[in-house]
Amino acid sequence: MAPGPLAQVLRQLPTSDDPNFLSSAIPCADAGVYRLRDDCALVQSVDFFTPVVDDPRTFGRIAAANAFSDLFAMGARPITALNLVGFPKCLEREILVEILKGGQEKVSEAGAVVIGGHTVDDDEPKYGLAVTGVVDPARLVSTVGARPGDLLLLTKPLGTGILTTALKGEVLTESDLHEAIRGMQTLNRAAGEAMLEVGVQACTDITGFGLLGHALEMAEASWAGLVIEANSLRLYPLAAEMAAVGLVPAGSYHNREHYLPRVVNRDQLPPELVDILADPQTSGGLLMAVAPDRLAALQAALRARAVAGWTIGRVTDQHPGRLLVD
């Protein structure tokens, strides 16, 4: 559910009572889920946005990795993708070719196929994908299921919104963002495979609502309290420095307005920490709630796939649906 006025609009729309519409029973679901048969359901999502980097091929890779993230967070296997493009007439077509080539590279890496798409004239470039995957409903992972005692593990550092804002402001260059750009281009496929191998209680991907919003969505969906340990958070290089000088994206303010009231100790948090928590991520990592006796196995499965993972907090029975930052 999107924050702000859009959420109010969506609540006014009619709902479906189709029993195969599985995601209708999942609060804050990352993707739509529709059961085709007992052992197979479609998982569908869509995302597109304006460039976050200057290089068009890199932008295509990042946008595609971001679009697939919802599927991997739910344990789905991608099968198809549709390109979504908005493109100005004044730009050279070769730029669009490079964007689509970058997207194609990530679609292939995800194990899916581009089967079409749609392009419209626009004042600024926009690119993304509508993606479809499949999952056995018995193995579906969602925002529901985090239980008191579970540990929270995150698979990518934070700070991409702050860093790309600094890039757009020409305070940093793409070479300064090397590590963050590499992270944004990285599919969450391997992390999702590790999650399915070990078994986790709940999962979501960290994207536009920031760690703040997506963690609270898990708390709400599972009706449990989450504790984030501030000292355990990992940031991409230069993210903290850019936040300190006020290079915070507009989306961060929207996230703060909508989600910060549900943080138990919000009045005690340093402003720079709030900037990090509310920072809207592009192609961020997976946030998993895992039982303590499975944490070591999950960490080993991630390492075997060259995926990082940091324990950043825990699930509690206090303050259900809310977040405390320790």
Side-chain angles (χ1 to χ4, degrees), residues 77-93:
R77 176 176 62 85
I79 52 175
T80 64
L82 294 167
N83 284 321
L84 299 174
V85 176
F87 200 73
K89 293 180 179 179
C90 61
L91 290 183
E92 297 178 4
R93 290 189 179 181

Side-chain angles (χ1 to χ4, degrees), residues 110-198:
V113 178
V114 176
I115 59 172
H118 187 63
T119 304
V120 297
D121 293 332
D122 205 341
D123 293 334
E124 59 181 338
K126 296 181 180 71
Y127 174 64
L129 298 168
V131 295
T132 298
V134 291
V135 69
D136 183 340
R139 302 194 73 196
L140 181 69
V141 185
S142 74
T143 50
V144 177
R147 297 291 179 261
D150 290 347
L151 299 173
L152 300 173
L153 183 142
L154 182 62
T155 63
K156 287 184 184 181
L158 303 170
T160 59
I162 292 166
L163 291 171
T164 54
T165 298
L167 177 65
K168 291 177 181 178
E170 299 183 345
V171 177
L172 297 177
T173 65
E174 286 197 5
S175 61
D176 295 321
L177 271 65
H178 172 74
E179 190 171 331
I181 290 174
R182 181 170 58 84
M184 288 188 288
Q185 291 182 84
T186 300
L187 292 171
N188 281 322
R189 178 180 184 176
E193 290 172 349
M195 172 183 77
L196 290 175
E197 177 183 309
V198 174

